[in-house]
Amino acid sequence: MNTRIIMSSLILAISLGCTHFVLASEGRNWDPVASDKLIKLPANIIEKRIQQDFEASPMALHLVELEQDMQDKLSQLKSLGELIADSEGDDLINQRFELVQQKSEYLDLMQEAQGLRQNALAKKQQLYESVLGKLRNKNGRISKDEVYQLKQKQAQARERMQNVMAQVDSSLMHKGLDKRSPYADEFAVNLAKVEALKNAISQHKANASPTLGDVEVTSEEYVRQLLMQASTEQSLLDQEALMFSYMAKLVALDAQALEYEISYGDESTELTQRNRTKPADVADLFL
Amino acid sequence: MKILLVIATIASLLSPQAFANSLFSLENLERERAALLSVQLDSSLDLAQRQQKVQNIYRRLVDIERMVLRDDRVTSSNSALAQNAFDKYELTFLVHSSAEKSQSPLSHWMSELHLTTESILSAKAGHR
């Protein structure tokens, strides 16, 4: 009787514990910062750099440990399930109790891992937003900058000059000034070399724009795509959280059913009435 | 270490600070343009002299205008001279802008300043 009371209270404690959120221990954090050095990297390298930083963080290392613990727990659950099939009587009760306990611990581990993943994803999203903000800020500053605007004007003026270069050269010929100046000669020779070098730079793989599929995109577009991927992952994590809540509910119901069975017997057990002396049975003695 | 030194040397040679005057080419352009206009308006020269001087300056001006348009040091300086020069393309790059309109540089310059024959002939000297 005492054993049964202790076991039922333990089961009750486990069923309550299934809904308890296990907090991540201190020192298992990831605190990324969108530094200026990060912004200078190509967008696809930014993604890899962030992922690398996360994988080296205490949070990621703890997630790896949790994953290992969950795998071990899962194999224990499977072996217990097989044992239960062949057990009966008190052994069955004990093993069912053990199973509920193991399931509860497994859910605790999963919930802790889920919490850490949510945390990591939220920080990644904040980091991507910070990177995007800084990229936009930098592009805005560059476009508003006076030197940038002056360079734009020079580029437009150069284009305008290109349109009439042939015309000016032919007017020089008419004036009898068609002998090319040293500047013009050397400029022409260097120009071809400059164009070849510029082509080599633009085709260099370290200078390649990030791509989405096969389409080259700007850094801003790439980071926006990363943010979209993060929000997709967020939706999936939210769905997993819902699954966990249903699994926890099932474990709580299993614990409750086990408690009721131990305390009141299973469903097939009928309520027995004690024998009592009925007045009709002893009425003859009083006649 | 050697590679770093070489890179630092090249960077210092390419940096705008390495050149005494980043507006050198633009100032040359301004001088040559002023010389062209001055020669064309110089009444002391006869036609042949004027034509020869104008041709020499014109040849130099073609090159200098192209140099300024290709010179990144001019735009890196962000000076008022550079700003004005590119804001007023028509008056700065006289040879090329006059070629766009198939006019001589002097006609184009006077047209930009709204100096027409009628306005010059109707001009009077006196108090406002």
Side-chain angles (χ1 to χ4, degrees), chain B residues 21-48:
Chain B
N21 186 6
S22 55
L23 298 175
F24 186 65
S25 56
L26 183 59
E27 286 169 357
N28 277 342
L29 171 65
E30 300 283 344
R31 260 192 292 274
E32 285 300 316
R33 193 182 66 242
L36 177 72
L37 294 169
S38 173
V39 161
Q40 296 224 317
L41 296 170
D42 190 355
S43 53
S44 66
L45 297 170
D46 63 27
L47 194 60

Side-chain angles (χ1 to χ4, degrees), chain A residues 1 4-5 8 256-266:
Chain A
M1 185 65 184
R4 285 194 171 184
I5 291 169
S8 38
Q256 203 173 53
L258 192 57
E259 186 214 336
Y260 289 161
E261 213 176 287
I262 291 167
S263 303
Y264 308 112
D266 61 13

Side-chain angles (χ1 to χ4, degrees), chain B residues 59-89:
Chain B
R59 170 77 258 184
R60 281 201 297 275
L61 206 51
V62 167
D63 282 344
I64 290 173
E65 282 187 11
R66 291 175 185 178
M67 275 187 219
V68 169
L69 284 166
R70 292 162 181 157
D71 192 352
D72 291 333
R73 286 169 293 175
V74 170
T75 46
S76 304
S77 68
N78 192 26
S79 71
L81 187 69
Q83 290 278 0
N84 262 339
F86 287 102
D87 282 342
K88 294 171 186 168
Y89 177 91

Side-chain angles (χ1 to χ4, degrees), chain A residues 240-252:
Chain A
E240 283 175 20
L242 188 64
M243 281 166 61
F244 291 148
S245 68
Y246 289 155
M247 285 156 72
K249 181 75 180 170
L250 280 169
V251 170

Side-chain angles (χ1 to χ4, degrees), chain A residues 14-81:
Chain A
I14 288 162
S15 64
L16 287 171
C18 282
T19 56
H20 177 67
F21 180 73
V22 176
L23 295 169
S25 44
E26 288 175 7
R28 285 165 178 164
N29 237 341
W30 178 47
D31 296 310
V33 173
S35 67
D36 289 340
K37 277 186 193 170
L38 188 66
I39 310 300
K40 285 178 188 166
L41 295 170
N44 50 341
I45 303 295
I46 289 176
E47 184 190 6
K48 286 181 184 168
R49 181 74 186 87
I50 290 171
Q51 188 57 28
Q52 222 176 43
D53 189 65
F54 171 67
E55 278 163 14
S57 68
M59 186 187 279
L61 295 171
H62 186 51
L63 268 169
V64 168
E65 286 169 12
L66 283 172
E67 197 58 40
Q68 188 55 51
D69 292 344
M70 284 196 290
Q71 289 299 322
D72 295 340
K73 200 61 80 176
L74 197 60
S75 52
Q76 281 177 26
L77 284 170
K78 283 178 183 169
S79 352
L80 265 173

